[in-house]
């Protein structure tokens, strides 16, 4: 069983991963700002509303992101981080806000989650029972998870101009 699973993994790298793993320990918006924004604008704002229309499918999107990272961006990405940056581009393509969990830290008293999101979106941490408002400054957010908050089934939600994106926390 184990061997089979491993073989399957080797044969189908990444193609099946649609959402970024959480937390990523990679900050895609910082990366974009450093390596891509001088040509494509802050948070990809110069891509324009037609962005993605000329790209055949998801593979084509991943492919151009990879080429750009290795070429003009001059900052090659690991397969995991390529997938995360591609996921950011999916949000741009689909006209949706973006959100990602970059770090989870345990302090003495509580769990602190932080990450990145599309500027000016409304961020909340939700678990079906409780909703916690999350502070977003620029493209950085962080939240101290309340001690009794059930994090197991929690998700983070970003809303902007009526569009939303949700990512699981764990
Ligand atoms: C020196 C300028 C420059 C830098 C830096 C740069 N790009 Fe590009 N990018 C271009 C140009 C020019 C094109 C259009 C021509 C092409 O497709 O090769 C493009 C095209 C793209 C496209 C396709 C756009 C569309 O409308 O289909 C994506 C996606 C993209 N770049 C992502 C990135 C990412 C991600 C980075 C950072 C790792 C990056 N680029 C860095 C110049 C740049």
């Amino acid at each position: 069983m184990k061997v089979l699973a491993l073989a399957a993994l080797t044969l189908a790298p990444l193609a099946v991963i649609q959402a970024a793993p959480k937390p990523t320990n990679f900050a895609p918006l910082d990366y974009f700002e450093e390596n891509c924004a001088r040509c494509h604008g802050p948070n990809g704002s110069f891509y324009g509303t037609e962005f993605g229309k000329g790209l055949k499918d998801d593979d084509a999107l991943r492919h151009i992101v990879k080429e750009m990272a290795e070429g003009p961006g001059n900052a090659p990405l690991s397969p995991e981080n390529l997938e995360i940056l591609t996921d950011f581009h999916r949000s741009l393509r689909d006209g949706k806000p973006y959100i990602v969990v970059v770090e989870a830290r345990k302090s003495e008293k509580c769990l602190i989650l932080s990450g990145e999101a599309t500027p000016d979106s409304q961020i909340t941490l939700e678990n079906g029972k409780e909703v916690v408002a999350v502070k977003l400054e620029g493209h950085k957010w962080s939240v101290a998870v309340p001690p009794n908050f059930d994090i197991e089934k929690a998700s983070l939600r970003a809303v902007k101009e009526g569009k939303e994106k949700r990512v699981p926390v764990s």
Side-chain angles (χ1 to χ4, degrees):
M1 264 320 259
K2 265 206 177 119
V3 176
L4 264 180
L6 203 65
L9 266 178
T10 340
L11 285 174
L14 293 173
V16 288
I17 304 174
Q18 279 299 314
K22 321 289 172 217
T24 61
N25 292 312
F26 167 69
L29 299 191
D30 279 350
Y31 172 94
F32 192 90
E33 200 167 285
E34 263 166 52
N35 304 296
C36 320
R38 68 192 158 99
C39 294
H40 295 298
N43 300 303
S45 50
F46 299 167
Y47 283 134
T49 50
E50 297 297 295
F51 174 60
K53 299 237 162 78
L55 298 167
K56 192 166 80 218
D57 53 20
D58 209 62
D59 281 345
L61 179 64
R62 185 184 295 105
H63 185 76
I64 182 85
V65 171
K66 183 171 191 284
E67 276 197 334
M68 285 282 145
E70 288 166 6
N74 201 19
L77 294 163
S78 69
E80 293 79 16
N81 293 352
L82 171 66
E83 201 51 39
I84 293 159
L85 195 66
T86 302
D87 198 41
F88 166 55
H89 283 76
R90 281 185 199 114
S91 289
L92 293 173
R93 179 194 63 193
D94 301 342
K96 289 185 177 174
Y98 177 73
I99 181 160
V100 65
V101 184
V102 176
E103 253 187 19
R105 274 182 296 130
K106 257 213 144 97
S107 82
E108 261 172 59
K109 286 187 209 121
C110 63
L111 175 68
I112 296 169
L113 300 174
S114 60
E116 300 185 327
T118 303
D120 304 317
S121 31
Q122 221 97 40
I123 315 289
T124 46
L125 174 67
E126 306 183 359
N127 65 5
K129 282 175 265 158
E130 290 159 281
V131 177
V132 179
V134 177
K135 198 166 82 182
L136 177 68
E137 277 175 48
H139 65 253
K140 296 281 184 192
W141 60 264
S142 78
V143 62
V145 180
N148 297 322
F149 186 89
D150 179 9
I151 199 79
E152 281 304 308
K153 289 185 196 112
S155 60
L156 278 145
R157 182 167 176 246
V159 178
K160 188 174 178 178
E161 288 154 12
K163 301 273 178 70
E164 75 157 17
K165 172 156 170 132
R166 236 177 230 280
V167 295
V169 169
S170 49

